[in-house]
Amino acid sequence: MALAATLAFLATWLVGFNTAAHGSVPPEIGDGWRVSTPEEQGLVSSALDAMADRVRSDPAFAHAYALLVARHGTLVFEEHFNGRRREQSSGVRSVTKSVLSLALGIAREDGRLPRSLDTPLAALLPARSHLLAGEKAEITLFDALTMQSGLRWDDSAEPWLGQIFFADDLVAFTLGEPLVAPPGAHFNYNTGLSQVIAEVLTEATGRDLAGYVRDRLLEPLGISGTDWLLRPNGEHYGGLGLHLRPRDMAKLGQLALQDGNWRGRRLVAAEWIRSSTRDQTADTSTYGYHWWASANGSRFVAIGYGGQYIYVDRDLDLVLVLQVDFNVPFEQVLPFASFLALRDDLYAGVLAERPGTIEPGSAPPIEIGEGAGELRLELLRSGAAEGSVEIAYRTVPGSARPGSDYVATAGSVVWSSRETGARTIVVPLIDDRREEGLESFEVELERLTGLDRLDTRRLQVTILDDDGPAPGGDVQRLSLGPATLAAREGEAARFTVSRDSASGDLEVAWVVSPIVGDAEDLEAVTGVATLRHGETSAEILLSPRQDGQVEGPELYRVELSASALPDLVEIDPGAGSATLAVLDADEPQLCDGATALCLHDGRFRSRALWQVPEASGQHARGWASAAELSSESGWFWFFDPGNLELMVKVLDGGAVNQSYWVFYGTLSDVEVFLLVEDLATGKARLYRRAAGTLCGGADIEAFVSSSTAMPSAAARPATATDDEPLLDGRFALEVEWRDPHTGAFHPATSVALTGETALQWFFSPGNYEMATKILSGSAINGHTWLFAAALTDVDYRLTVTDTATGAIRTYDSGAPFCGIADVEAFEP
C-alpha cells in the first residue's frame, strides 16, 4: 500500500476493543511450537473461523498465503491459502527491518557496538564520514533506527524507490541526500536507513548480515533454510529481502512478546526489546526501533509491503501473523484497514480468563548442604490456571560462583491450560571439599507466557558448607597463568597450571567461556591438565581458529574447576582464572581512530571493553569509544560522550630499557579489559582491571623499542590553567605532586578536557599523569561526585574547593596508579 495511506491508518491502530476471543489443533511437527485448541488458550474457534472466512471471501485478501494465531506461547490456529504449503517460505519485505533491529540488539549486548544509541553514525562508519559532515554529523544510530535522520526521502517515489532496489551503493546514496529537518526531530520512513544500519552491523561484527542473523538469532529459534536476497553489489538487503515461513514469522513475534527469551534462553536483551517496541519518535508517529509500536509498547507490529504482518498484543499475550504474496500489482496490496478488521475478528473471540498463581514450593531463603549433589527447586501452580504458562529460570551468581560451587543452569518449565501442580528446577551443586563457610546464589524467574501471577522473581539459595578443616598434611595450591594473554587466530595460546608441590599425580579440569566472541571459534573449550608425580606444572593449549571473517578481537575467560579436585588440593584465591584475547587475523592491520585509540602515528591500536558483572544483576558490556589527546595519550568513554572513564598512554622508553611503556588509569569501578596492539610488530598486550577498584597499572616492558630518545609527549593545543574550574566554574581544583627524592610538593598543570573533566601533567606537556572529573549525582543521592585517575606511581594531593559554599575536600594518593572515588563529596 502507499506509504501515506499506511501512516494514516497506523495513527488509528490504537483504537479500543471489547475483549469478550475450538476447533482443530495445528499439527505438531517438531519445530519448537507447542500446539492446542483455541479454547484451551481462551479463544473462541468460531471467531478464528470468521477470520479465515474473511480471508477467503474478501477480495482484499486474494493474495493471502497464511494466517496464524499463537496465544500463551502456543500455536492455536493455522490456515494456508492459494495452494500454499506449510513448509514454503516467502519474502516478507519490510518485516526484515524488525529482524535487523533484533540482530542489532544482540550485537550491542555482545559488546560489538557502543551502549549509547546517541553515538554518531560517523563514528560507527568511518569510511562514510565524508558523507556525514556538517549538520549531518549529528545523525546518530538512534535517529537511523527510529527513521528520524532528517534526510530527504520518499520510499514510494522516484528516484528513491528505484535506488532502494538497484543502487550499487545505497548507503552512499542515502547519506548523500540533503537534510530537510534537524536530526531526531521528525519521522520519515526511509528504507535507505535500514541499509545504513545493516552496514553498521556488518562493520561491528565482521560478519555478513545473513550469516550473523542466522547464527545468533534464527538458528537458536529453530529457524533454518531461510533465504536473504542480495543487492547488485553482493551485499544483503538491509530493509527487505528476508524469506521466512509463516511459523518462523510467528516465532519472531513470540520472541519479542517474551522480551527476547525463547524456551528459557535469552537471545536478545529485554531492555532492547522493550525500547524497540514502543514509540520513540519526537512527533509520535508510533515507531520504535524498526518496529511500528504504540506509545506504551502494549501493542506492536512488524509490517512488510503487500500485507505481511507480525502483530503482537502484550496485554492479551497473543501473536497474529498474516503472510501474503507481495509480488502483485499495486492495486492488490492489502489495505491496513482490512488487516484491522481481521484483527478485530480475533479480538471478538477473546475470552476472559482466570489466571493461576506460580509460587516456590519452599519459602526463601532456601538452604542446602554442599554435598547434596543437586538443588531441586519446586514451582507450584495453583488456582483456576486457565491458559498455558511458561516460566523461565536462570541462576545468578552471588558469593557462590558457577563452575566452582554450582553449575550455571537456565531453562523453562511449562504447564498446559488448567494444569496445576509442581514443576522441578534442578541445579547441580559442586562439592569442592574445602572449608569456606556459607555461600549463596540466586535463581531468577521470568514469566514468558500466560497470565498467571508470579510474585516471586528471585529466590536466594544458601549453600551450607559441610566440609570441616582439611585433614592433616600439606595442602597443594594451584594457580593459572599468565593472568592475561593475547594470541592471534591460527596461533597457539599457552597457559600454565602450576602447583606448589610435586607430590602425586593430579588431573585439573579447565573450561573456557566467551566474554565477547563465540566458543566455537576455539578448537576446544574444556579439557584436563595432567601433572605427574614430580611435576609442578602442566600446559593448557588453546587453538583459536582462523575463520576468514573480519570480526575484531574476541575475549575469553579460562578457569580451573574445583569440582573434581581431591582433598588437600585447592585453587589459590584469585589465581584460578585468566583472560585470553584472540586477535582477528583477517582484520586490517591499520588503526582506525573511529573505533580505537591510535597512538604514535597509528602504530599502537588500543581498544577497551567494559562490563558490569553478572553478580550485580545489571549485567552489561560494550566496547568503549576513544579520543586522542596527544601522540602518546588518549582516553575512553563507556556510557556518555565526554564522561572520561579510562586514560591510556604509551611512552617510548627506548633510551632507558629499549621498550615502549604502557600506562593506564581508571575513573570507573566496572571491569575493564584493555587491549594494546603494536601494529608494526604484530605483538599485543592485554590488561585487565577487576571490578570494584579504581587502580590502573603500568607495563614498562610492553613492546620493543629501538629508540634512544627519552620519554616525552607533544601536547595538542590546550589552555593550561591553575585551579581548573569544573561544573560551570563552581569547583576549583589544585593538584600537587611530591618529588620522591626531596619529599617536596610541586603544583601540577591542569588542562581543560570537558566541562566535567580536567587533565593534569607533572613533568612535560602532553605526558598526562592524572585526570579528575566532577559529576552531579543529585538525581541519585543528592551529592556531587568526584573521581580521579592516576597514570603514575608518584604521590599526589588533590584539593577541591566548592566556590559556591566554601567547602574544601583534600585527598591524598593511595597505592601506586590508584585513583579516588567520592560519591558524597559535596552537598548540592
Side-chain angles (χ1 to χ4, degrees):
M1 65 187 295
L3 177 62
T6 301
L7 297 179
F9 278 114
L10 282 171
T12 68
W13 81 302
L14 301 178
V15 294
F17 59 91
N18 294 320
T19 56
H22 210 53
S24 62
V25 178
E28 168 65 66
I29 62 174
D31 63 346
W33 272 114
R34 298 189 296 272
V35 298
S36 78
T37 65
E39 276 70 20
E40 289 177 304
Q41 308 306 329
L43 296 173
V44 178
S45 289
S46 59
L48 304 181
D49 293 337
M51 294 174 63
D53 288 343
R54 182 185 293 275
V55 172
R56 294 188 188 97
S57 61
D58 187 340
F61 295 94
H63 59 302
Y65 277 165
L67 179 67
L68 284 77
V69 177
R71 183 128 201 256
H72 304 325
T74 305
L75 194 64
V76 299
F77 185 82
E78 180 182 33
E79 284 278 352
H80 298 272
F81 310 93
N82 292 313
R84 296 289 288 190
R85 300 185 306 277
R86 180 177 295 107
E87 65 273 14
Q88 287 181 276
S89 63
S90 181
V92 295
R93 300 301 283 256
S94 287
V95 169
T96 306
K97 293 180 172 68
S98 301
V99 175
L100 179 66
S101 173
L102 294 172
L104 196 75
I106 294 172
R108 179 172 178 259
E109 200 65 20
D110 280 349
R112 300 292 188 182
L113 290 163
R115 297 295 295 181
S116 175
L117 295 184
D118 292 329
T119 302
L121 287 180
L124 300 171
L125 298 174
R128 307 288 190 173
S129 59
H130 63 288
L131 298 171
L132 292 162
E135 293 181 340
K136 291 184 186 180
E138 298 179 8
I139 302 175
T140 65
L141 182 57
F142 176 86
D143 298 332
L145 270 170
T146 57
M147 303 287 191
Q148 299 181 107
S149 67
L151 295 169
R152 181 178 64 184
W153 198 269
D154 185 346
D155 247 32
S156 59
E158 293 295 343
W160 302 278
L161 182 59
Q163 292 289 332
I164 288 173
F165 293 97
F166 305 118
D168 287 333
D169 191 342
L170 182 55
V171 172
F173 177 81
T174 303
L175 300 180
E177 287 293 273
L179 283 177
V180 294
H186 177 65
F187 172 82
N188 183 25
Y189 192 77
N190 183 337
T191 295
L193 288 175
S194 301
Q195 198 67 43
V196 173
I197 292 172
E199 185 164 301
V200 168
L201 184 63
T202 56
E203 288 290 318
T205 63
R207 300 284 307 279
D208 70 279
L209 181 60
Y212 185 78
V213 173
R214 179 193 65 236
D215 293 347
R216 300 306 310 279
L217 178 64
L218 300 182
E219 287 191 352
L221 287 171
I223 298 174
S224 60
T226 57
D227 291 324
W228 200 319
L229 299 181
L230 296 175
R231 296 190 53 77
N233 63 357
E235 299 172 344
H236 292 93
Y237 283 93
L240 53 101
L242 182 60
H243 285 60
L244 295 170
R245 291 176 289 267
R247 286 194 177 202
D248 299 338
M249 296 174 68
K251 282 184 179 181
L252 291 165
Q254 191 67 39
L255 176 72
L257 175 59
Q258 295 172 184
D259 289 337
N261 196 311
W262 179 258
R263 302 296 184 254
R265 178 182 176 185
R266 178 153 300 286
L267 304 181
V268 190
E271 171 268 331
W272 179 264
I273 296 286
R274 287 285 180 169
S275 297
S276 299
T277 56
R278 68 171 185 267
D279 179 31
Q280 297 279 1
T281 60
D283 55 4
T284 62
S285 294
T286 66
Y287 202 71
Y289 300 163
H290 273 40
W291 290 82
W292 298 96
S294 61
N296 63 1
S298 61
R299 278 173 269 177
F300 53 93
V301 59
I303 302 178
Y305 173 80
Q308 328 276 351
Y309 289 93
I310 304 175
Y311 178 87
V312 180
D313 190 314
R314 288 188 184 277
D315 295 337
L316 295 181
D317 195 27
L318 64 79
V319 176
L320 169 63
V321 166
L322 178 67
Q323 188 183 77
V324 304
D325 177 10
F326 70 83
N327 191 24
V328 295
F330 183 82
E331 61 270 14
Q332 293 188 37
V333 172
L334 179 73
F336 189 62
S338 297
F339 175 76
L340 290 180
L342 195 69
R343 180 205 67 175
D344 290 343
D345 288 341
L346 174 60
Y347 280 160
V350 178
L351 297 172
E353 290 181 303
R354 296 172 299 167
T357 300
I358 306 291
E359 55 190 357
S362 302
I366 298 162
E367 296 183 345
I368 189 168
E370 182 181 62
E374 63 183 22
L375 167 69
R376 300 183 65 83
L377 176 65
E378 286 193 336
L379 295 182
L380 303 177
R381 188 188 194 195
S382 60
E386 294 182 346
S388 297
V389 65
E390 181 177 7
I391 304 296
Y393 60 86
R394 73 180 185 100
T395 52
V396 179
S399 56
R401 307 301 297 175
S404 57
D405 301 305
Y406 66 94
V407 177
T409 306
S412 67
V413 292
V414 179
W415 290 263
S416 299
S417 181
R418 298 184 179 87
E419 185 178 18
T420 58
R423 296 290 183 269
T424 303
I425 298 170
V426 178
V427 181
L429 302 177
I430 298 172
D431 187 353
D432 56 13
R433 286 168 285 183
R434 291 184 297 165
E435 185 179 18
E436 53 195 354
L438 300 178
E439 296 179 301
S440 65
F441 65 95
E442 291 183 319
V443 178
E444 182 181 77
L445 305 177
E446 178 185 357
R447 187 185 66 191
L448 300 185
T449 65
L451 303 178
D452 285 18
R453 189 175 72 248
L454 177 65
D455 294 331
T456 302
R457 302 287 177 169
R458 282 180 175 250
L459 301 172
Q460 182 170 335
V461 178
T462 299
I463 301 176
L464 305 176
D465 185 16
D466 48 18
D467 296 308
D474 294 330
V475 175
Q476 288 190 29
R477 297 190 180 276
L478 300 176
S479 62
L480 178 67
T484 59
L485 183 64
R488 196 167 299 278
E489 287 179 335
E491 300 176 351
R494 289 178 168 82
F495 291 89
T496 300
V497 180
S498 301
R499 61 177 176 175
D500 58 4
S501 168
S503 176
D505 293 343
L506 180 64
E507 292 187 338
V508 183
W510 54 267
V511 62
V512 181
S513 56
I515 299 171
V516 171
D518 297 319
E520 54 266 29
D521 287 345
L522 299 176
E523 294 289 348
V525 294
T526 60
V528 173
T530 302
L531 295 89
R532 299 301 181 189
H533 180 72
E535 296 177 344
T536 58
S537 65
E539 189 176 79
I540 296 175
L541 182 66
L542 300 179
S543 300
R545 294 187 177 99
Q546 185 170 355
D547 52 17
Q549 297 176 337
V550 179
E551 53 196 354
E554 297 178 317
L555 296 179
Y556 299 88
R557 179 163 283 119
V558 186
E559 293 182 286
L560 302 182
S561 174
S563 59
L565 293 180
D567 292 335
L568 299 178
V569 178
E570 60 184 40
I571 299 172
D572 261 352
S577 67
T579 308
L580 169 66
V582 176
L583 307 177
D584 187 359
D586 303 294
E587 185 178 32
Q589 295 301 290
L590 298 172
C591 191
D592 184 345
T595 59
L597 177 62
C598 305
L599 301 179
H600 289 269
D601 297 323
R603 173 172 175 173
F604 294 98
R605 178 170 63 188
S606 300
R607 286 175 279 197
L609 180 81
W610 61 270
Q611 72 170 355
V612 178
E614 291 186 11
S616 69
Q618 299 178 340
H619 187 223
R621 67 169 67 90
W623 288 100
S625 298
E628 185 182 354
L629 292 168
S630 73
S631 64
E632 282 129 331
S633 63
W635 59 284
F636 292 91
W637 57 269
F638 304 162
F639 307 110
D640 298 300
N643 184 4
L644 185 155
E645 305 283 355
L646 171 68
M647 281 197 64
V648 177
K649 67 180 178 183
V650 178
L651 300 182
D652 188 350
V656 179
N657 67 344
Q658 293 77 52
S659 299
Y660 280 96
W661 307 342
V662 174
F663 299 84
Y664 63 97
T666 60
L667 294 94
S668 174
D669 62 354
V670 302
E671 185 175 25
V672 176
F673 301 93
L674 173 63
L675 178 62
V676 184
E677 298 174 78
D678 182 350
L679 300 181
T681 64
K683 302 298 183 181
R685 291 293 182 103
L686 176 68
Y687 308 95
R688 174 180 177 263
R689 206 286 315 278
T693 175
L694 284 166
C695 294
D699 181 357
I700 61 170
E701 294 183 345
F703 304 101
V704 174
S705 170
S706 59
S707 172
T708 58
M710 293 297 292
S712 63
R716 293 189 179 278
T719 303
T721 63
D722 294 328
D723 304 333
E724 184 64 41
L726 296 180
L727 282 188
D728 297 324
R730 173 175 169 179
F731 296 95
L733 305 179
E734 182 182 1
V735 178
E736 301 173 288
W737 61 275
R738 187 172 66 86
D739 188 325
H741 302 293
T742 66
F745 278 91
H746 304 281
T749 300
S750 288
V751 178
L753 180 58
T754 70
E756 299 170 330
T757 310
L759 308 174
Q760 289 80 36
W761 56 267
F762 301 168
F763 309 113
S764 61
N767 183 5
Y768 300 110
E769 307 285 351
M770 283 187 61
T772 309
K773 70 178 179 183
I774 297 179
L775 302 177
S776 174
S778 57
I780 299 176
N781 69 345
H783 288 76
T784 299
W785 302 350
L786 179 140
F787 298 87
L791 293 87
T792 180
D793 57 356
V794 174
D795 289 340
Y796 61 86
R797 177 181 298 158
L798 169 63
T799 302
V800 185
T801 301
D802 183 347
T803 60
T805 66
I808 298 175
R809 297 285 188 272
T810 299
Y811 307 88
D812 290 313
S813 58
F817 300 101
C818 290
I820 299 164
D822 185 353
V823 295
E824 295 184 349
F826 297 96
E827 298 291 340

